């Protein structure tokens, strides 16, 4: 969002990750690591470092001048899990000693194995709230201790020196937090420490404390020991890699959330509701976030790697969320999703057809290519998945009547000629019927006090910020009070929720004059899914003071003073005794409808109104098609009287013009003959689409096949061609595409699908239907999954195909 000079320099523009010319469909094996200092192996360098004379008894780390190689950040992680990863060269062999010849001498303390207690049922995963991740590796949250067991060649003695080491990134450095050394039994630095909890025989039980400011990501893990007989280092093993995430349960972490119900909803909930439509006709759809699905965590870390984000900055949620807002869209940096608002989705997926984030993220991880296509709710749904997966409390938020301010005036400006006909070549600002973005919770140590809490992050590419298509994080508190000089991107977001719609009329001398200001037209309702239920929660009050209040007017005018038209409110005139209101019935796709305009004379004198009504279809972004129906009428109003002007619209009139979302825009303009009052109103409404009906056929048990029935009735009198169903649900069904062919006009179809649940508990199974003639059709059913008879979970990577569809015959067909 362009907002003048800034102190930040964007997202590490000098360190981009360049994609391969032709990404392979599967991740490449990790290459053997080579030293940059000649041909010496990593282990030879490690041993030479270990034998140097610069070490003290309290520090088993390397001398500062010696860097360590690690996995390249640009390598695409394998989405198939630990059993299929390519082992790196560092994981080979049984250990090294100080001379580097691999000889194990008597008396050395050899680590023969490590048990990270990483299974979902183990204490670590449960205590760290990571037991839902479909991974076998250890996943912990920073600032919170975890346990491990070292298996030794002999019993541990108090004179033995043991240190744990964690590496991440290229050339890990202690000073950057990418090489962490934790001496056992001694105080570490920055919150890192390891304590012996039990020494029994050849087992050494440790309690390891991580720093609440630790870098997030996947760390390589090793153990080093030193005795009088020599030194030993455990080789790196990909099975011993440790994922570290942000921790909203830790009071010392700046992402800390002090309410457990918030953490359950905004971190752990794998599904949610996304709202769309118009303020008067709110639609809702269930979205499968799937942040714990197998491969999704690797995809989230790959996004950071793909942009080349320095590892040293990955402990800062402000920086991480800003990078994610840029990388979820494909502009600038070949990010996750390609935006498309053209209405032509023949080379990809209609944004309305997606039912969750998993298919999108796994496709990006698998191929390295941006996924077609997304619109605002898809960008926001994927962003929620990524930030929740990384440990940030995040929610998906919908703003109705969301402004897109293109000239930083902080007002929505609409220009008309002398006869109040719109001057489209000047009308660059637009009002979206709805816009979806994200709130994430964190402290803002980079801002003055008072701006912690919810921060807006918007991954939909609208305007650039520091030359990059990203937006946020922006403090909601700064938006509420019009403090548009607070970073990041506050002017643009403020205009989206709290600007005024200003109508300008061209005068005889060519200048423009404000003839009407609509003060309650922007950001009329801001909602999100409620905590612990499927109801919606109105959060408008945290973004805005009450409309019309002194605080709200002060916020708007304070913000406008920092915009490109600081004196806009000094030129307004008003003479308003005729009120205009638009009414629209609940319109249904495929049926006739009627729109109505109500005029009321609130004055004491007769008023004559010349009224013009223009009806056109519109994309939800405010981009309109040509007018397909219009009406002109003169209305005489007695003092205190009201009158209605109806415009009936038949299905055959609007059907040829329909675009995405089935939305229409009614433009109303009028002129009061007696006092020159100008009337202007834009009213958007949508045509409702049917829902899919899902029925579970039998009980759902982990590891056992279950069947669901999907029923759909075509509401249109025309045939739906190339119909595609999508089915997805975390813990139930990997993303699945079903091609069902054509569905006749007003025809009812039924199909059945089987799935095998992999995790117990309440789950959401979500379906969608898409065709060139009809989209925005969804359905959802809650599935309560019982544990497997023997307990545990059943992980399978074959629960669905996210890259190709299968042709499904209909179980039955029926007429109207």
């Amino acid at each position: 969002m362009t907002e003048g000079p800034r102190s930040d320099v964007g997202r590490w523009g000098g360190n981009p990750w360049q994609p391969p010319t032709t990404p392979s469909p599967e991740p490449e094996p990790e290459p053997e690591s080579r030293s940059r200092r000649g041909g010496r192996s990593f282990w030879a360098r490690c041993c030479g470092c270990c034998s140097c004379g610069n070490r003290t008894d309290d520090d088993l780390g390397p001398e500062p001048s010696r860097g360590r190689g690690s996995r390249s950040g640009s390598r695409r992680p394998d989405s198939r899990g630990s059993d299929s990863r390519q082992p790196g060269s560092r994981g080979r062999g049984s250990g090294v000693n100080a001379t580097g010849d691999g000889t194990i001498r008597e008396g050395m303390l050899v680590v023969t194995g490590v048990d990270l207690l990483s299974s979902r049922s183990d204490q670590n995963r449960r205590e760290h709230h990571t037991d839902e991740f479909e991974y076998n590796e250890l996943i912990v949250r920073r600032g919170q201790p975890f346990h491990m067991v070292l298996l030794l060649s002999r019993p541990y003695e108090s004179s033995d020196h043991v240190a744990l080491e964690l590496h991440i990134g290229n050339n890990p450095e202690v000073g950057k937090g990418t090489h962490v050394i934790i001496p056992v039994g001694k105080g570490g630095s920055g919150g890192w420490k390891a304590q012996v909890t039990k020494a029994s025989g050849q087992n050494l039980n440790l309690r390891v404390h991580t720093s609440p400011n630790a870098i997030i990501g996947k760390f390589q893990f090793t153990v080093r020991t030193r005795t009088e007989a020599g030194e030993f280092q455990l080789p790196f093993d990909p099975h011993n890699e440790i994922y570290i995430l942000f921790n909203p349960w830790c009071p010392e972490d700046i992402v800390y959330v002090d309410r457990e119900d918030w953490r359950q909803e905004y971190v752990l909930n794998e599904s949610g509701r996304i709202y769309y439509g118009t303020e008067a006709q709110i639609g809702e759809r269930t979205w499968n976030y799937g942040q714990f699905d197998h491969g999704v965590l690797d995809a989230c870390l790959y996004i950071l790697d793909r942009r080349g984000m320095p590892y040293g900055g990955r402990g800062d949620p402000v920086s991480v969320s800003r990078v994610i807002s840029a990388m979820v869209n494909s502009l600038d940096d070949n990010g996750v999703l390609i935006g498309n608002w053209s209405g032509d989705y023949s080379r990809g997926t209609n944004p309305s057809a997606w039912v969750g984030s998993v298919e999108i993220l796994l496709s990006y991880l698998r191929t390295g290519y941006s996924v077609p296509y997304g619109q605002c709710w898809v960008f926001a749904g994927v962003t929620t998945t990524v930030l929740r997966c990384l440990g940030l409390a995040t929610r998906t938020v919908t703003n109705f009547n969301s402004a897109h301010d293109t000239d930083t005036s902080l007002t929505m400006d609409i220009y008309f000629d002398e006869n109040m006909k719109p001057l489209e070549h000047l009308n660059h600002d637009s009002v979206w019927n709805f816009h979806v973005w994200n709130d994430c919770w964190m402290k803002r140590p980079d801002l003055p006090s008072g701006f912690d809490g919810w921060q807006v992050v918007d991954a939909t590419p609208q305007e650039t910020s520091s030359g990059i298509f990203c937006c946020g994080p922006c403090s909601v508190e700064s938006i509420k009070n019009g403090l548009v000089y607070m970073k990041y991107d506050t002017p643009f977001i403020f205009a989206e929720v709290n600007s005024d719609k200003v109508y300008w009329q061209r005068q005889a001398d060519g200048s423009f004059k404000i003839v009407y200001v609509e003060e309650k037209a922007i950001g009329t309702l801001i909602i999100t899914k409620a905590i612990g239920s499927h109801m919606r929660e109105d959060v408008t009050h945290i973004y805005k003071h009450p409309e019309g209040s002194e605080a709200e007017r002060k916020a708007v005018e304070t913000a406008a003073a920092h915009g490109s038209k600081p004196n806009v409110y000094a030129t307004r005139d008003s003479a308003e005794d005729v009120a205009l209101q638009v009414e629209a019935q609940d319109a249904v796709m495929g049926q006739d409808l009627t729109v109505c305009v109500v005029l009321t004379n609130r004055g004491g004198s007769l008023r004559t109104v010349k009224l013009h009504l223009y009806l056109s279809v519109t994309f939800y972004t405010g981009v309109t098609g040509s007018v397909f129906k219009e009406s002109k009428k003169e209305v005489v109003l007695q003092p205190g009287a009201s009158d209605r002007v109806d415009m009936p619209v038949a299905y055959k009139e609007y059907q040829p013009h329909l675009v995405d979302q089935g939305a229409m825009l009614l433009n109303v303009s009028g002129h009061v003959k007696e006092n020159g009052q100008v009337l202007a109103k834009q009213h958007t409404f949508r045509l409702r689409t049917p829902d899919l009906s899902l029925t579970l056929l039998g009980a759902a048990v982990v590891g056992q096949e279950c069947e669901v029935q999907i029923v759909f009735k075509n509401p249109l009198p025309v045939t739906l061609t190339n119909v595609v169903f999508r089915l997805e649900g975390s813990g139930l069904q990997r993303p699945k595409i079903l091609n069902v062919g054509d569905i006749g006009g007003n025809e009812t179809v039924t199909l059945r699908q089987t799935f095998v649940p992999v995790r117990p508990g309440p789950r959401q199974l979500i379906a969608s239907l898409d065709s060139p003639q009809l989209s925005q059709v969804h359905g959802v059913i809650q599935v309560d999954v019982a544990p497997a008879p023997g307990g545990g979970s059943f992980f399978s990577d074959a629960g669905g195909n996210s890259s190709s569809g299968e042709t499904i015959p209909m179980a039955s067909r029926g007429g109207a």
Side-chain angles (χ1 to χ4, degrees):
M1 296 60 196
T2 306
E3 55 188 85
R6 307 169 65 119
S7 59
D8 64 284
V9 294
R11 292 170 304 113
W12 308 287
N15 188 26
W17 185 92
Q18 295 298 327
T21 304
T22 306
S24 61
E26 294 294 335
E28 304 90 338
E30 180 177 325
E32 297 285 338
S33 297
R34 299 293 181 189
S35 170
R36 295 181 182 179
R37 302 179 180 87
R40 298 177 66 210
S41 72
F42 175 87
W43 291 113
R45 287 187 290 115
C46 174
C47 295
C49 177
C50 292
S51 61
C52 72
N54 295 335
R55 176 164 308 154
T56 67
D57 287 344
D58 293 330
D59 182 5
L60 294 181
E63 65 185 66
S65 62
R66 298 279 187 177
R68 294 189 178 273
S70 181
R71 172 180 293 109
S72 169
S74 64
R75 189 180 75 88
R76 191 160 55 251
D78 196 322
S79 65
R80 295 170 295 178
S82 60
D83 291 339
S84 59
R85 289 177 306 189
Q86 299 290 339
S89 60
R90 304 172 187 82
R92 297 170 183 168
S94 60
V96 293
N97 63 9
T99 62
D101 59 9
T103 302
I104 303 300
R105 291 190 292 273
E106 183 178 356
M108 290 177 59
L109 183 61
V110 176
V111 181
T112 60
V114 176
D115 185 355
L116 294 177
L117 308 175
S118 61
S119 76
R120 289 186 58 211
S121 59
D122 278 328
Q123 176 183 5
N124 285 335
R125 297 283 294 273
R126 295 196 314 271
E127 290 182 348
H128 284 254
H129 307 277
T130 61
D131 51 320
E132 288 292 331
F133 278 99
E134 295 177 359
Y135 280 75
N136 294 320
E137 293 88 347
L138 178 61
I139 304 173
V140 297
R141 301 187 187 275
R142 66 185 192 178
Q144 184 175 338
F146 65 92
H147 302 267
M148 69 172 65
V149 180
L150 302 184
L151 310 179
L152 306 176
S153 59
R154 61 168 174 77
Y156 173 75
E157 300 173 358
S158 59
S159 60
D160 294 328
H161 295 271
V162 179
L164 314 178
E165 290 193 21
L166 295 169
H167 296 181
I168 190 171
N170 297 319
N171 300 317
E173 298 179 29
V174 172
K176 293 183 177 180
T178 53
H179 180 188
V180 181
I181 302 170
I182 315 171
V184 173
K186 300 181 175 64
S189 60
W192 297 90
K193 62 180 179 179
Q195 301 166 316
V196 176
T197 58
K198 184 180 180 181
S200 176
Q202 294 175 229
N203 290 355
L204 183 64
N205 294 50
L206 301 178
R207 178 181 174 92
V208 182
H209 296 256
T210 60
S211 168
N213 304 310
I215 291 167
I216 64 159
K218 183 162 65 173
F219 287 78
Q220 292 181 319
F221 173 74
T222 186
V223 184
R224 283 206 269 169
T225 68
R226 187 173 77 247
T227 65
E228 291 183 358
E231 299 183 3
F232 171 88
Q233 177 163 354
L234 180 73
F236 290 110
D237 182 342
H239 292 86
N240 289 339
E241 290 175 324
I242 300 174
Y243 294 87
I244 298 180
L245 308 177
F246 292 117
N247 192 354
W249 281 266
C250 174
E252 288 76 39
D253 195 324
I254 65 172
V255 306
Y256 173 65
V257 177
D258 63 0
R259 290 180 52 177
E260 179 60 23
D261 57 342
W262 282 31
R263 295 189 292 248
Q264 291 293 323
E265 180 68 47
Y266 300 137
V267 181
L268 300 183
N269 196 345
E270 295 177 78
S271 65
R273 295 291 175 91
I274 299 179
Y275 302 97
Y276 62 96
T278 69
E279 179 187 5
Q281 297 171 297
I282 298 174
E284 62 181 55
R285 58 179 300 162
T286 302
W287 190 266
N288 182 45
Y289 295 125
Q291 66 267 33
F292 303 133
D293 272 30
H294 190 68
V296 170
L297 177 54
D298 285 321
C300 297
L301 297 176
Y302 171 56
I303 290 171
L304 301 180
D305 292 343
R306 181 68 181 262
R307 184 63 187 105
M309 183 182 185
Y311 285 91
R314 298 188 189 188
D316 175 19
V318 175
S319 299
V320 169
S321 62
R322 188 155 172 80
V323 168
I324 295 302
S325 81
M327 282 299 298
V328 167
N329 70 74
S330 66
L331 296 180
D332 308 311
D333 37 30
N334 299 306
V336 178
L337 272 164
I338 301 170
N340 185 347
W341 289 264
S342 71
D344 178 9
Y345 312 117
S346 58
R347 304 182 69 177
T349 299
N350 185 331
S352 296
W354 299 114
V355 293
S357 307
V358 176
E359 181 180 352
I360 295 168
L361 288 168
L362 294 188
S363 174
Y364 186 65
L365 174 66
R366 184 177 63 250
T367 69
Y369 285 129
S370 302
V371 179
Y373 294 106
Q375 292 179 4
C376 69
W377 66 91
V378 187
F379 291 113
V382 171
T383 300
T384 296
T385 297
V386 174
L387 294 181
R388 285 187 185 181
C389 184
L390 296 179
L392 285 169
T394 307
R395 61 189 185 186
T396 309
V397 176
T398 301
N399 176 40
F400 289 99
N401 295 312
S402 185
H404 182 177
D405 179 20
T406 59
D407 61 0
T408 69
S409 65
L410 302 178
T411 57
M412 294 301 102
D413 301 296
I414 305 174
Y415 295 92
F416 299 85
D417 65 11
E418 295 83 349
N419 299 313
M420 288 302 291
K421 181 179 180 180
L423 296 170
E424 296 297 345
H425 66 286
L426 295 178
N427 291 333
H428 303 298
D429 291 348
S430 62
V431 179
W432 295 28
N433 301 348
F434 67 95
H435 182 46
V436 187
W437 61 65
N438 302 92
D439 284 346
C440 58
W441 185 274
M442 68 183 75
K443 292 181 180 178
R444 289 297 299 270
D446 57 324
L447 297 180
S449 62
F451 297 96
D452 298 340
W454 289 119
Q455 313 289 322
V456 173
V457 173
D458 189 349
T460 300
Q462 297 182 83
E463 299 289 330
T464 59
S465 173
S466 301
I468 300 292
F469 279 98
C470 63
C471 181
C474 170
S475 166
V476 172
E477 190 66 24
S478 66
I479 298 168
K480 184 174 184 177
N481 293 291
L483 305 179
V484 295
Y485 45 84
M486 292 289 182
K487 64 181 182 182
Y488 293 96
D489 311 307
T490 310
F492 186 85
I493 303 171
F494 179 89
E496 287 185 299
V497 304
N498 212 359
S499 56
D500 293 337
K501 189 183 289 187
V502 179
Y503 295 77
W504 299 78
Q505 185 180 35
R506 188 169 61 196
Q507 305 301 297
D509 61 359
S511 63
F512 284 88
K513 176 184 178 182
I514 295 176
V515 293
Y516 185 63
V517 176
E518 198 173 356
E519 295 181 347
K520 299 180 181 180
I522 305 300
T524 50
L525 179 66
I526 306 171
I527 58 176
T528 189
K529 177 188 174 297
I531 295 173
S533 79
H534 295 307
M535 304 297 289
R536 56 178 180 257
E537 178 183 354
D538 186 344
V539 294
T540 312
H541 64 282
I542 76 166
Y543 278 88
K544 308 170 66 169
H545 295 286
E547 286 284 5
S549 67
E550 182 178 348
E552 187 265 346
R553 285 293 92 197
K554 180 180 178 182
V556 172
E557 297 186 16
T558 297
H562 291 271
S564 61
K565 299 174 183 174
N567 299 315
V568 65
Y569 289 96
T571 61
R572 56 189 296 188
D573 292 335
S574 62
E576 303 175 359
D577 55 9
V578 176
L580 182 154
Q581 183 179 359
V582 177
E583 297 177 355
Q585 66 185 43
D586 191 18
V588 178
M589 181 73 74
Q591 299 183 10
D592 299 343
L593 60 98
T594 301
V595 293
C596 175
V597 175
V598 179
L599 297 172
T600 302
N601 183 0
R602 298 182 298 192
S605 304
L606 182 142
R607 292 290 183 251
T608 304
V609 182
K610 284 188 174 183
L611 199 63
H612 300 259
L613 281 66
Y614 302 94
L615 187 62
S616 59
V617 296
T618 180
F619 290 92
Y620 85 95
T621 56
V623 176
T624 60
S626 59
V627 173
F628 67 85
K629 186 163 187 175
E630 61 182 273
S631 175
K632 299 180 180 180
K633 188 172 182 180
E634 183 169 287
V635 181
V636 178
L637 298 171
Q638 298 296 327
S642 296
D643 198 1
R644 298 168 61 92
V645 176
D646 290 332
M647 176 188 282
V649 185
Y651 169 71
K652 64 181 181 181
E653 291 182 285
Y654 68 74
Q655 188 274 333
H657 307 279
L658 283 175
V659 295
D660 282 357
Q661 314 266 340
M664 297 189 188
L665 174 67
L666 179 66
N667 271 294
V668 183
S669 63
H671 182 266
V672 180
K673 183 185 298 183
E674 289 79 9
N675 64 0
Q677 178 186 349
V678 174
L679 299 172
K681 183 75 173 179
Q682 294 181 318
H683 178 79
T684 304
F685 60 96
R686 72 179 182 91
L687 304 172
R688 300 182 69 88
T689 52
D691 294 328
L692 296 177
S693 174
L694 277 67
T695 305
L696 196 64
L697 306 177
V701 180
V702 169
Q704 298 183 15
E705 193 172 84
C706 186
E707 191 172 31
V708 64
Q709 176 177 279
I710 305 172
V711 179
F712 166 72
K713 180 177 180 180
N714 180 3
L716 304 181
V718 300
T719 297
L720 306 181
T721 60
N722 301 319
V723 177
V724 176
F725 284 83
R726 272 181 160 79
L727 195 64
E728 181 177 326
S730 287
L732 296 174
Q733 171 66 61
R734 300 287 274 183
K736 194 170 191 177
I737 300 172
L738 312 172
N739 299 308
V740 300
D742 297 347
I743 300 177
N746 299 122
E747 184 180 6
T748 298
V749 298
T750 301
L751 65 151
R752 294 182 177 183
Q753 280 294 299
T754 58
F755 61 93
V756 179
V758 298
R759 285 184 279 147
R763 305 284 166 189
Q764 301 278 314
L765 185 63
I766 310 164
S768 75
L769 174 147
D770 181 60
S771 79
Q773 295 78 22
L774 184 67
S775 61
Q776 203 73 268
V777 179
H778 319 102
V780 62
I781 186 172
Q782 177 160 318
V783 181
D784 294 312
V785 182
S793 299
F794 174 80
F795 291 166
S796 171
D797 213 17
N801 190 336
S802 61
S803 59
S804 63
E806 56 179 294
T807 301
I808 303 297
M810 243 67 71
S812 64
R813 292 181 181 266

